Amino acid sequence: MSARPTRRRFLGLGGAAALGLGGAFAASPLIGRLLPPGEPGKLLRSSLPLPARHQAELPIPAVLKPVRSDAGADYYEITARRATARLLPGHDTEVWGYQGTFPGPTVESRSGRRTVITHRSELPRPTAVHLHGGHTPQDSDGYPLDLVGTAGHDMHAMHGGMEGMAGMDAASILPQREYRYPMKQRAATLWYHDHTMGFTGPQVYRGLAGFHLVRDEEEAALGLPHGARELPLMIADRSFAADGSFAYPELDGGRPGVQEPYMNGVLGDVMLVNGAPWPVARVDRAWYRLRLLNAANARRLRLALDPQPSGGGALVQIGSDGGLLERPLRHDSIDLAPAERFDVLVDFSRYPAGTRVRLVNRLGSGPTAEVMCFDVGGDGAADEFRLPERLSAVERLDPAKAVATRTFVFQKDDRHWTINGEGYRPGRALAAPRLGQVEIWRFVTDFHHPVHLHLDPFQVIGRNNGDPGRYDTGWKDTVDVLPAQGVEVAVRFNDYAGRFLMHCHNLEHEDMAMMAEFTTE
Ligand code: C2O
Ligand code: CU
């Protein structure tokens, strides 16, 4: 297997490809078109006074019940619709939500047991549903042209304005779709969200996102904190118009994409956790499991607890995008790019009763430097949990066995975001990896791009020819690629032949064409 198609496209980028990654990249001929590093996005200010912090109680999304179950599978039904929500005190916000809620209901699957979800939509626009982190066959993967919607959605009117969106003829729109998930994968924190061609940014922003947790025996045997001590935390920044509606800088005329000043990404000034602004959670002096998800369109987070307990290392990472780590990893702070998940334990008994512990964002400023807080309750809470030294036996992909190395350059051109110089075009594949074989994929960029692969997770093997970063441990499906960096990952796609996506998970970049297909065979 060679990376021939990639190389051919690389003629103009030979400098970057040949010199390697990172620092060398900055010396490449690409330098003339580099963007200034810095925030991956532009702040859109709310037009209403921001609500007071730490007033709302942390909501926990309801767990969805199956409509039926049989020997091998659980069946669910979800309808995406508009609904009115009270996200901010004194204001109504229209959300586009799964079952009308933001976040959508949480789906829980057991590893190895099929989950079948019938999605319907009553939204003004069609939608595609992707299970992020799912090991999913192509026909249920939420391909951006496999749409669910009501009759009367005119796809051509919808995409008429953008030549870059060639291939729309292939769109198929059905009143409902059955997404079949085999769930042949380990326990992990997945999430499902909209993936509509050209409109993922505004549609996720309006609320089309929910948790999908996979559980298995290995994880259950660890006796991790559960029930009221397991908190899924969907963190997302949003901005609001004066009337309380979500503000998003869409283009006129229902065209896909975002207004030019926001091409780097849309940043909001209200931090929502599970849909509530800067909420507060009351906790016992006990271990808690926090499933952290960055569901922002573009904002990167650096999460820390304030105050730190004496001795530091308050955030004990036990899992990454793709499930349990080998052993716990202690952090004082954790960087999360959009779509990344960190499964973290916190021992609140390290704080005296009555402490207010803030979850802060060290990359934010003003209101976005705060996320939520935990009020630590009095004594007397029973806690049997002991942190195990080993969590899981994690298979290592061996880079020495790689049958191909492919390089993907993430860059901006005059009008959109590109991968290897190309904006997304449905049906055109940039790579054709063989199932069951290890490959090395290199993601190179001059800017911030959270790079995400569908179908299977990967392992980061290096950054800028050095070691992986401190947040790269374990199986990942999204990796935070930073300006002037090259990140190398080992990946092996398994089981399902077909057409899958890789893309930047900054949703404005994704909608503005930073997406590509690969085919597995
Ligand atoms: Cu979370 Cu292709 O996306
Ligand atoms: Cu990007």
Side-chain angles (χ1 to χ4, degrees), residues 186 188-189 317-325 341-343 471 473-476:
R186 343 165 48 216
T189 306
Q317 188 189 353
I318 57 164
S320 54
D321 302 335
L324 290 172
L325 306 183
R341 286 89 69 213
F342 282 77
D343 203 340
Y471 310 113
T473 310
W475 288 103
K476 301 280 301 163

Side-chain angles (χ1 to χ4, degrees), residues 417 448-450 504-506 509 514:
W417 294 95
H448 291 272
H449 300 293
C504 177
H505 219 290
N506 175 313
H509 300 187
M514 191 168 260

